[in-house]
Amino acid sequence: MPRTAFFISDGTGITAETLGRSLLSQFENTDFIQVTKPYIDTLDKARSLVGIIEATAERDGIRPIVIDTIVDQAIRDIVSQSSAFKVDIFSTFLAPLEVELETHSTYTVGRTHAIGRDDVYMHRIEAVNFALDNDDGARTHQYEEADVILIGVSRCGKTPTSLYLALQFGIRAANYPLTEDDLDENGILNLPPTLSRHRHKLFGLTIDARRLSAIRTERRPDSRYCSMDQCMQEIGQAEALYRRHNISYIDTTRFSIEEISTRMMNETGLQRRFSPR
């Protein structure tokens, strides 16, 4: 029987959801119905939420799990009256830190994901705009400004990885699709001049042919584009190019965007421009 897990916060709920999902992912043999409840920032909202939690417990026949990052003590007191199994992230970790640091926490709602310093926020926006402007080889003349240029066949994860790198770390990531247009007269995939000039910035992505075919089928079913033969051919040509030019690359088949990004940064030594919020 699946367990219902509530991620609760008096702010956006991002921290509760992120940490909560990480904790629950360690229990592979248990199915979870995950519910995020952000902005529980008044006593009335807290009382209403307790009613939802109790109704869920009655429906499921087992108490829900509540993982929260609520700062306001009065709201926490109301939520604590529910029959759920509760994991209070802030009180669990802040109290020991207060002892170690010999000072009290500010207990500020929304501080983790607030805009904070204007220069950091603006840099994040600029990096995201750069990733969007330089998606799929759209503006190759801006590659001088790129921190990294992701290359790979269509639908192997270049765009979401570029955006994640920009949003989380402020990295200016461009991406370029390797297509049949880059084949020479012998059918060999070569680096186009626009990439050759920035060889030191290139990082390749590859993917299992079956997975790629499934992804492409959702986009263009019953087409040559999604056929296994076409996918296998493109992937083989791309990986041969990586080896020929000694370009580092990652197989994205079983990795999340977060894992792809951090592995790429670790292999290249690329430094984040700011820490993720």
Side-chain angles (χ1 to χ4, degrees), residues 7-223:
F7 307 130
I8 302 171
S9 174
D10 38 15
T12 63
I14 294 173
T15 300
E17 186 177 83
T18 301
L19 293 177
R21 288 182 186 276
S22 295
L23 291 172
L24 298 184
S25 69
Q26 303 304 311
F27 299 91
E28 296 181 353
N29 296 324
T30 303
D31 293 327
F32 294 98
I33 301 171
Q34 302 179 9
V35 181
T36 302
K37 294 289 184 180
Y39 301 113
I40 305 299
D41 50 9
T42 68
L43 300 183
D44 285 342
K45 288 181 181 179
R47 295 188 188 99
S48 176
L49 177 61
V50 168
I52 293 172
I53 293 172
E54 296 306 303
T56 301
E58 183 175 351
R59 181 198 69 199
D60 294 350
I62 191 170
R63 62 177 177 171
I65 296 168
V66 165
I67 298 174
D68 79 81
T69 55
I70 295 174
V71 170
D72 187 281
Q73 185 61 53
I75 295 175
R76 286 164 63 189
D77 289 343
I78 291 176
V79 174
S80 69
Q81 295 171 12
S82 74
S83 59
F85 174 80
K86 290 170 282 294
V87 179
D88 186 336
I89 292 174
F90 277 175
S91 67
T92 299
F93 297 105
L94 285 181
L97 278 172
E98 287 178 334
V99 173
E100 176 64 24
L101 298 175
E102 298 180 347
T103 186
H104 290 292
S105 163
T106 55
Y107 283 88
T108 304
V109 176
R111 188 171 183 84
T112 305
H113 300 283
I115 288 178
R117 289 170 42 197
D118 287 343
D119 59 333
V120 171
Y121 180 73
M122 291 307 299
H123 195 92
R124 176 185 282 114
I125 296 302
E126 289 170 2
V128 171
N129 285 335
F130 183 87
L132 292 172
D133 287 343
N134 292 273
D135 184 40
D136 267 353
R139 297 189 180 182
T140 58
H141 66 277
Q142 293 185 341
Y143 284 179
E144 288 286 351
E145 304 171 34
D147 297 315
V148 64
I149 304 168
L150 301 179
I151 60 175
V153 301
S154 172
R155 313 305 292 178
C156 69
K158 300 183 302 299
T159 296
T161 302
S162 297
L163 288 171
Y164 183 84
L165 288 167
L167 186 61
Q168 289 294 98
F169 306 117
I171 290 173
R172 293 192 168 207
N175 74 79
Y176 183 96
L178 299 173
T179 68
E180 292 180 339
D181 293 338
D182 299 314
L183 296 175
D184 64 16
E185 62 275 9
N186 297 314
I188 297 175
L189 186 65
N190 285 319
L191 283 179
T194 188
L195 292 182
S196 296
R197 290 193 293 271
H198 304 285
R199 165 66 189 79
H200 61 292
K201 296 182 179 182
L202 301 182
F203 193 87
L205 301 183
T206 189
I207 189 172
D208 178 76
R210 289 183 296 272
R211 175 62 175 154
L212 180 61
S213 177
I215 293 171
R216 289 183 172 184
T217 297
E218 294 179 3
R219 188 177 181 87
R220 296 185 202 166
D222 302 319
S223 66

